[in-house]
Amino acid sequence: MIKRKKTFRILLLLLCPAVMMAQLERSQEFRSEYKLKEVVILSRHNIRSPLSSNGSALSRLTPHKWTEWSSAPSELTLRGGILETMMGQFFRKWLVEEGLFEENHVPTADELNFYANSMQRTIATAQYFSSGFMPVANIRVNHRFSPSKMDPVFFPRLTKVSDAFQTQALKEIAAMGGKKGIVGINEKLEDSYKVIAKVLDLKDSPACKEGETCAFDDYNTQISLVKDQEPNMTGSLKLANSASDAFILQYYEEPDTVKAAFCHSITKSDWEKIAKVKDVYGDVLFAAPIVAVNVAHPLLVYLQDELNASARKFTFLCGHDSNIASVNAALGIEDYELPHSIEKKTPIGCKLVFEKWENHEGKSYIAVNLVYQSTRQLRELQMLTLEHPPMVYPLKLGGLQANDEGLYSFEDVQSRFNRAIREYEEIK
């Protein structure tokens, strides 16, 4: 009978993934075999305002005025705070249901760790999450510097750069575009570039009228890999990314979809094309294997330490999409496209969640999921409950075999962390 139930769940996952991926809570059968011991989260900040003030490069790409944001440039918006509080409340209900904490629990310093990058949007995201997560615990969000300064743990910078590193990194990045390399990457985005230019009314923009940019047609992207700096680029991909990022945030913030698209009536597919530019931009800069282990190294060490902290029950680290993209790539997470989201890789406010489970024999296992609010949940401020949870997408560690319940042995996951850390140490 047990085998039948397991087989049925696997078939249901294959036939109806949208049904299963929205189920974070585990079955009673699973709970009889495993007990949740710890959860470690690497979160992206929630909705922030873009850098779209008068005179900015972004404002010059369109004759239209961007949304009136409820926060200063690059800071968390009011809507972002509300959404993050909802996510915190959901995780509280889930972990109480799983028996990791009691309702209204006040944890010890050893049980809990909240640590954010020293930027306003990341500190605020962690604070809002903590208020929903443990509203009576008065959780302290740790950050190392006064806002807004990048913490080296979250700063996706290159700390080792040599001629050999640059050659290998550029080779791996070019491979993303196939035979045409960097140009091929841009050619695959041609439809996205056209949609963004149309919605911006780029040809009527100050940038076009003054002879700067009338189309996203510079496909000769130049990649810059400099020690102690983030990977960077020039060309249309970078410029279009700034517009893509702003449009995505405006789509979440503005209830009127036509207004969000500067009075253009565009389809959900068009919004996905707009968001694709940001996804590809992130992959190009942070997901090449040798780049990923370089920029993610401090976070990989920190995450592994948290997973091995004997008294720890819950860790919340708040950073950026670049952090999640590089950690995923460094650990060898298989490629994926998230459903029910215009952002297919690292949606706003998403959480990379490591669940540590233990069976009756005391053997530890890890589940790796990406938890995120769907585009509809974000736009409609939908309440999250155990009956109406956020999206939960199981991630696969390439080359490792999960058991029937989708769990990896703790030793295998440890080995994957060790491999990524060792690959960084071997960079010359």
Side-chain angles (χ1 to χ4, degrees), residues 309-323:
S310 58
R312 189 81 74 230
K313 288 188 175 182
F314 187 84
T315 300
F316 186 89
L317 309 178
C318 192
H320 309 269
D321 51 356
S322 56
N323 296 137

Side-chain angles (χ1 to χ4, degrees), residues 25 27 40 141 172 191 228 254 258 278 326-327 349 392 398 402 408:
E25 65 271 22
S27 68
V40 176
V141 175
E172 291 175 357
D191 288 345
D228 293 326
E254 171 54 58
V258 175
K278 189 192 72 68
S326 57
V327 166
V392 181
Y408 296 96

